[in-house]
Amino acid sequence: MDNLSDTLKKLKITAVDRTDDSLEGCLDCLLQALTQNNMATSEKIQGSGILQVFASLLLPQSSCTAKVANVIAEIAKNEFMRIPCVDAGLISPLVQLLNSKDQEVLLQTGRALGNICYDSHEGRSAVDQAGGAQIVVDHLRSLCSKTDPASEKLLTVFCGMLMNYSNENDSLQAQLINMGVIPTLVKLLGIHCQNAALTEMCLVAFGNLAELESSKEQFASTNIAEELVKLFKKQIEHDKREMVFEVLAPLAENDAIKLQLVESGLVECLLEIVQQKVDSDKEEDIAELKTASDLMVLLLLGDESMQKLFEGGKGNVFQRVLSWIPSNNHQLQLAGALAIANFARNDGNCIHMVDNGIVEKLMDLLDRHVEDGNVTVQHAALSALRNLAIPVVNKAKMLSAGVTEAVLKFLKSEMPPVQFKLLGTLRMLIDAQAEAAEQLGKNVKLVERLVEWCEAKDHAGVMGESNRLLSALIRHSKSKDVIKTIVQSGGIKHLVTMATSEHVIMQNEALVALALIAALELGTAEKDLESAQLVQILHRLLADERSAPEIKYNSMVLICALMGSESLHKEVQDLAFLDVVSKLRSHENKSVAQQASLTEQRLAVES
């Protein structure tokens, strides 16, 4: 350490004299001390005030410049040295050196700037202001095709520098994307795929940039999919494959890239991994199986990529995914059910799958998870059934296969995601299916649970779906018994509240259900309608200019239907509905204007 103090003093003097030989000796001494104990030496350097001197030594024409940059690179490995390096004014001369023709100077300068930028807002900001990134991107472009070891080493350092510069910083990542760094990095990956260090740097840089939405379009216009799949096939080690996965996942969120990945053969690789790892209980194999099957599901979220893999239901991929559902591996069951839900995104696929026995497979899967089941598997299987129930021709087939009974087993679930999908599945199944709607609507246990969930204020989705199913049971069954069950279970007030929803579709469903109640069972529901203040709510809906035409129309139909009740009729009279309704006779919507005339006549006669 004494030696070091002497060296630092000597360095200050020689820096002024500019005698390159003695300067070189001092720098060698510093580098040696840094190799032995980087942190202590760096602290000593900081305390000596020599950093400012370094700024004057970073001269393009000096033979010692590379060594000065090397010393800066070494001390900047310490977090506490990065801001002092910026404050000492080292960034500007370092960025100037990026224009050097000397490879060693470029290498050490790239290292110094990269280390100063690592996790340092001040470092990045200074490099940004000095215009360092553009020069490095230009270097990458011009060196890209060179495969000699020195060039590859330089490319690796420059990639690392850009990575440290932009890591977790959206605006600097966007800056690099605008500079066109993505096509260059993709080209690099293709040319230098034999160089492990450079490949790794490219992957980390991709992972960095791929998170940014604006990068996806640029990536989609390159052959990144092909290069990554090629690279993926070559990887044997788990860690290396993991690195490729980390880039594939964010990129695969883009539909165009999904299709490119499918066309480049990624799916076959993923299926192979699943097959290899399915019986392993090694932690890393279980993790890889999850990553591969999750990515498979993600690829199916794109319409084109999904349809390509479906191949009319005859495709090898579709068949393999089907075989995951009866598997004993929860991760595969989950991925299989999610994949089916993704394949079930158009009527043709849904009809084909129902005709080919997929419903029975999903019901068997649900059966295995009724008691203490896996919530994510329950949720996924119900999602698949809900999607399959959308085409009209599938509803009766699924009802006769016993889907409602299978789904109702989960009524006791306390998990909101499962409750949400269960409600959605039942609502899809009874759409325009009067008999099924009546059967379900008379199921007291179900209706009571729905009324309970209508109050699930913490779970808006469950609350909304419960209201919609209550309304659907009435609208599709048009059954007095169903209405009586709902009245007895305390469901009326929820339907009235639903008429004030911010969603027009829900308001409408509520008003139609309430009109049916008024037409079929007004006497039974009268008290509940009164205490829920239905008449006042209808007055508000008609008076509000923002109400949609169909809401105004159905509100007037409902008013007419309520006139059969003495107490509700009195409420209508007390609220001067005539004024509001007569204004609607000149409404721009013809149906609303017509209904206003009819309602006005009815109100006038009854008053």
Side-chain angles (χ1 to χ4, degrees), residues 256-284:
I257 299 175
K258 280 186 184 80
L259 187 60
Q260 291 167 11
L261 289 168
V262 167
E263 287 170 343
S264 301
L266 178 61
V267 172
E268 289 71 14
C269 300
L270 297 176
L271 290 173
E272 204 175 307
I273 288 176
V274 168
Q275 206 170 349
Q276 287 167 3
K277 312 289 179 186
V278 66
D279 298 320
S280 169
D281 47 13
K282 274 204 215 146
E283 213 169 294
E284 64 177 36

Side-chain angles (χ1 to χ4, degrees), residues 214-480:
S214 59
S215 73
K216 308 269 168 73
E217 276 178 35
Q218 271 211 31
F219 274 119
S221 65
T222 68
N223 63 334
I224 182 77
E226 195 187 320
E227 293 296 354
L228 286 174
V229 173
K230 218 189 301 175
L231 187 66
F232 189 77
K233 285 177 179 169
K234 280 199 300 208
Q235 305 309 323
I236 302 151
E237 294 166 50
H238 168 78
D239 292 353
K240 294 283 194 300
R241 278 212 291 244
E242 195 62 33
M243 279 192 83
V244 185
F245 269 139
E246 279 171 16
V247 181
L248 286 169
L251 285 179
E253 287 168 13
N254 176 280
D255 282 0
I257 299 175
K258 280 186 184 80
L259 187 60
Q260 291 167 11
L261 289 168
V262 167
E263 287 170 343
S264 301
L266 178 61
V267 172
E268 289 71 14
C269 300
L270 297 176
L271 290 173
E272 204 175 307
I273 288 176
V274 168
Q275 206 170 349
Q276 287 167 3
K277 312 289 179 186
V278 66
D279 298 320
S280 169
D281 47 13
K282 274 204 215 146
E283 213 169 294
E284 64 177 36
D285 288 347
I286 294 167
E288 200 163 345
L289 175 82
K290 177 174 169 23
T291 309
S293 52
D294 283 351
L295 188 50
M296 181 79 209
V297 172
L298 181 58
L299 291 175
L300 292 172
L301 275 173
D303 288 338
E304 280 187 84
S305 50
M306 176 272 287
Q307 213 49 47
K308 191 174 177 66
L309 294 171
F310 189 65
E311 290 182 69
K314 305 276 187 289
N316 166 45
V317 173
F318 174 65
Q319 296 303 329
R320 289 276 286 278
V321 166
L322 270 189
S323 72
W324 293 355
I325 292 174
S327 128
N328 289 320
N329 182 303
H330 279 187
Q331 175 56 33
L332 280 195
Q333 293 171 358
L334 170 65
L338 287 172
I340 297 304
N342 286 345
F343 279 125
R345 285 211 315 280
N346 63 50
D347 284 7
N349 292 4
C350 288
I351 293 163
H352 177 90
M353 286 193 276
V354 168
D355 287 347
N356 283 277
I358 188 67
V359 170
E360 289 70 17
K361 284 190 168 69
L362 289 166
M363 291 197 321
D364 289 347
L365 177 60
L366 277 175
D367 245 4
R368 293 162 71 182
H369 287 277
V370 175
E371 298 303 326
D372 306 320
N374 181 304
V375 173
T376 51
V377 175
Q378 293 171 358
H379 179 262
L382 288 167
S383 295
L385 286 171
R386 180 197 173 281
N387 288 3
L388 290 167
I390 293 172
V392 178
V393 293
N394 281 356
K395 296 181 196 294
K397 293 174 189 170
M398 289 176 73
L399 288 165
S400 60
V403 173
T404 39
E405 293 76 9
V407 169
L408 285 171
K409 289 177 187 171
F410 294 91
L411 254 192
K412 55 183 185 288
S413 171
E414 292 303 330
M415 306 306 289
V418 174
Q419 296 166 353
F420 180 72
K421 287 297 175 188
L422 170 150
L423 292 163
T425 307
L426 291 176
R427 190 164 62 79
M428 284 303 159
L429 281 169
I430 62 163
D431 191 8
Q433 307 295 310
E435 200 181 316
E438 180 161 12
Q439 206 181 341
L440 278 179
K442 291 193 293 193
N443 179 331
V444 178
K445 265 190 179 161
L446 168 66
V447 174
E448 284 177 348
R449 194 71 160 131
L450 291 183
V451 170
E452 182 190 328
W453 285 341
C454 281
E455 291 170 2
K457 299 224 172 2
D458 293 344
H459 302 286
V462 172
M463 197 162 87
E465 276 294 342
S466 304
N467 278 303
R468 293 189 77 184
L469 184 53
L470 264 188
S471 155
L473 292 170
I474 296 168
R475 287 183 296 112
H476 298 303
S477 70
K478 299 183 177 59
S479 151
K480 291 184 167 208

Side-chain angles (χ1 to χ4, degrees), residues 28 63 90 222 237 279 301 320 448 487 495 521 539 559:
D28 285 338
S63 59
L90 298 182
T222 68
E237 294 166 50
D279 298 320
L301 275 173
R320 289 276 286 278
E448 284 177 348
V487 171
L495 289 170
E521 276 296 326
H539 190 275
I559 285 294

